[in-house]
Amino acid sequence: MKILAFAASSSSKSINKQLVRYAADQLADAETELLDINNYELPLFSEDKETELGQPELAKAFLERIGNSDALIISFAEHNGSYTAAYKNLFDWASRIKPKVFQNKPMVLLATSPGPGGGSNVLATATTSAPFFDGEVKASLSVPSFFENFDSEQGRITDNKINVQLISAVKSLLENSTSDLKQAV
Ligand SMILES: Cc1cc2nc3c(=O)[nH]c(=O)nc-3n(C[C@H](O)[C@H](O)[C@H](O)COP(=O)(O)O)c2cc1C
């Protein structure tokens, strides 16, 4: 099973990247790939830019990475209650090439932030809209107060209850799969 995992964040110190890495690591036998959306930076989307540039190779490559995977784990950073501009821009470009961006992939959606909201607004938006883009959401989880619940040095969740929820969310991707789950709790 090939899992593509990424944070919908453009921060080099992204806490969502830390979370998504930990989540992907819980699938012991799966082949996990971490994608960095910073490597897919494109001009600000507009129909004028699209007329000028056509279908950018980077947007095609992003879609291909999704297409070549068996499942997705995405962790969303929340900016002003919504997607980061970096993710939304890449998604807009990709959606003009292939409207069904998620290509029928099963997916687990996560979000975290330093505050108690844990990115729950962006997570709700992402979860509600995923089926319109042929994303099959198996589970979603918001992790509140990141720095209280995650040890960045060890790269793991410290709160047992949240950890159990995360393991359960990730495990939902294993339905109809032979991959095993690491003994993490
Ligand atoms: C422009 C901006 C807007 C933000 N808006 C929110 C917000 O609406 N809700 C929230 O929980 N955190 C918000 N934050 C704080 C982010 O959650 C925090 O920067 C977090 O580290 C982003 O995730 P990342 O590190 O994965 O990029 C905002 C941060 C920035 C820079």
Side-chain angles (χ1 to χ4, degrees):
M1 186 182 201
K2 203 158 49 166
I3 307 272
L4 182 67
F6 64 90
S9 159
S10 57
S11 169
S12 61
K13 297 174 188 141
S14 171
I15 57 177
N16 283 279
K17 197 185 285 181
Q18 294 179 53
L19 179 63
V20 86
R21 182 180 294 125
Y22 175 74
D25 277 352
Q26 303 316 306
L27 296 168
D29 294 338
E31 185 189 328
T32 52
E33 274 187 355
L34 272 180
L35 176 152
D36 186 341
I37 68 165
N38 289 304
N39 295 330
Y40 296 82
E41 187 174 327
L42 288 163
L44 189 59
F45 178 85
S46 71
E47 292 185 57
D48 294 336
K49 272 283 172 213
E50 188 181 37
T51 304
E52 182 190 329
L53 298 176
Q55 300 185 335
E57 288 305 317
L58 285 176
K60 286 195 228 170
F62 176 66
L63 286 164
E64 210 174 296
R65 295 283 296 273
I66 294 174
N68 289 338
S69 73
D70 298 312
L72 303 172
I73 307 176
I74 308 173
S75 193
F76 291 88
E78 181 171 293
H79 279 183
N80 297 315
S82 191
Y83 297 114
T84 60
Y87 172 75
K88 183 62 163 53
N89 193 49
L90 177 56
F91 194 90
D92 285 349
W93 278 107
S95 71
R96 300 288 284 182
I97 299 168
K98 198 183 276 282
K100 302 300 184 185
V101 173
F102 295 130
Q103 305 171 56
N104 289 308
K105 304 300 173 184
M107 57 206 301
V108 169
L109 304 183
L110 308 171
T112 192
S113 76
S120 52
N121 295 300
V122 69
L123 185 62
T125 303
T127 304
T128 306
S129 64
F132 294 104
F133 307 105
D134 279 2
E136 189 196 337
V137 181
K138 294 283 196 182
S140 65
L141 181 70
S142 154
V143 176
S145 307
F146 178 81
F147 295 102
E148 288 162 37
N149 293 314
F150 194 96
D151 182 332
S152 292
E153 281 188 7
Q154 292 188 24
R156 66 175 189 88
I157 291 176
T158 50
D159 181 278
N160 195 50
K161 192 171 159 213
I162 297 172
N163 199 39
V164 168
Q165 290 172 331
L166 183 114
I167 305 274
S168 163
V170 172
K171 194 177 178 180
S172 67
L173 290 177
L174 298 178
E175 285 164 17
N176 306 321
S177 161
T178 53
S179 295
D180 277 326
L181 196 72
K182 270 184 190 161
Q183 201 65 37
V185 279

